[in-house]
Amino acid sequence: MAAAGEGRVVIKEIRTYGNQKTARGVLLHYCEFEVGDELTQAELARKIKRTKRNLLKTQYFERVNVFDLPRSNPGEAVIMLDVAEGSDWHLSASTWQVRLSKENVGGVAVTLGVEFGFDRQRLFYEQPWVFGSRFAVGAAGFYESGRETQIESDVGYTGEWFSHEAAGVEGLLGYVIKQRFQVGSAFLGEYINYYDGRFKEDPWRRFGVMSAADLFAARPYAEWDGRDDDVYPTEGVYAKIVGELSSPAVGDYDYAGAESDVRGYVSPWREFVLAARVKAGAMSDTTPYIRRISIRGSDGLRNPESNRAIGTRALLFTAEIRRRLFRSPIFDAWFEGVAFVDVGRAWDPVDFAFGDFSYAFGPGIRVHMRKPFFFDWRAELNLYDKPAFYATARRAF
Amino acid sequence: MRTVFTIASLALPLVASAAEPPSTYAEVAAIVALAEAGEMTADEAFALVSAAPGAPLAGAALGRLRVLKSHRIAFSGLRFLEMEKGFAALNAYVKGHRGDPLPHVWRGASAFETDFVLWSVASAREDIRLACELCRDDPSLPDQKSRCKLILGLMAKNEGDLETALRLWAEAFAADPVGPYGKEAAAFLELFTG
């Protein structure tokens, strides 16, 4: 082992403690250093902090400590990764869907799960990295049972609608450039059966609706996650941009588009967090209606009376102020209060007018449970215009 | 009463071999110690103590054994109920026997093992500190003093305070170098030192 230069320290050993199920390799993967690295004390302190953050963000552990152990030789550091494993059953839900997953299956960072609900069933597998490489993989199969979609325009619902059912598969291949930065592409292939439609004119050209269609799309993405925590971020930035490309060479559709999602978090006062998000997207006019951008719902514009929420262009700004209120005396759970403001709209280029943005604001309450199972629930009340209540078990941004 | 811990260590083999309901403080303490050490299952120990509900310390012992039993229950709802009953029994006993260190240690250890779901970190720390005080001047209680320091050290480590943890483990080792808790503390000292 190389001797450390003046003022520098060599990582002599990385120890692990508390990982009863999780493979040591999983812990080491999330480390920002390796045995033999030569670092300054400041670099080591920074990397220790990041390693702790990386491990907590996996959500496999309810407690993580990364210790720089007292040294017998000042130039040689021994690092201890001390963890306590948490619940590996994760549950979340929206009004129509329940998502149940088992995380860290076999202690090797594999996720297996199912989503089921009134109109969509999905089985999925995810692995954020494959041992010995920097590749992330995922696969899923899904079925969407019959669902009616009402066509929206800037003057509200147009009186046109269609129903469709679909079945398909999704795949994902990503490359982890850094712990916080990943690029890759998802692939979507589905068969769509349209039925029971009512249109004034030419549904194929306007909405991509026909009797049956094959849709194949590549969804390249780049994701930067600099947040300190996935569940309760208090500082940092998250950004993701996703494209969607479909060619008639391998399907019935010919369209392209991209969406971005940028989030920022600061904690200007103790216990308070300011969170903001901007979502924006643009897709070609030939994009089928079922693949256009939607900003509706508890993860979008929390106002059911909004002018319009589906279009080939969309812009949404959301800001929240959050505060931890108290911890449950019974379960491992804490309560969080929130006040939110949403501004946004979706449109098609021919419709756009700046005055047509919709708004929402109001209070909310959230529960984050970690034991006996991993579960998040939130309820928000829009007070703008017509009051509306949103409750979902999907985690907020 | 404090000499019962010495008696308890002598009574361990006796209780283990006889497997008869306990009748003395030392025997009850010995049965719980066997269950904690894994040399007797919590269910067996619970059955033995349940057969002598009037024995000294039985109320606290049943509470402690319920918590130990709960670790083996797979379904979290039932596990929680068993834990809740255990803490209720421990709380009731401690209320009437504040000067007895052992129930305080059991409640603190139970809280630590159950992630402080039913007994807070601050309350558990207070229990163990009090037990430590009660044990301090009694030379017949090195193992319990060592155990208290060991648990306090683990709590400090979990909170990220390694310096305090190492100091407490050193004290745990010094209190009882040949006992099981002293040896465990020594192992932690070695593991958490570079």
Side-chain angles (χ1 to χ4, degrees), chain A residues 12 15-17 62-63 65 67-72 78 80 82 327-332 371-373, chain B residues 76-77 79-80 114-119 154 156-162 166 188 190-194:
Chain A
K12 178 187 166 195
R15 296 179 188 168
T16 57
Y17 178 76
E62 62 181 31
R63 175 178 51 74
N65 283 310
F67 294 120
D68 177 6
L69 299 181
R71 299 171 195 164
S72 47
V78 177
M80 169 63 83
D82 169 36
R327 195 178 156 88
S328 161
I330 300 174
F331 296 106
D332 182 6
K371 272 191 173 177
F373 50 86
Chain B
S76 57
R79 185 165 65 234
F80 180 82
T114 56
D115 288 336
F116 310 99
V117 170
L118 287 166
W119 198 244
L154 286 168
K157 185 263 293 175
N158 290 354
E159 288 166 3
D161 185 355
L162 186 61
L166 291 170
F188 276 114
E190 191 178 341
L191 186 63
F192 282 83
T193 305

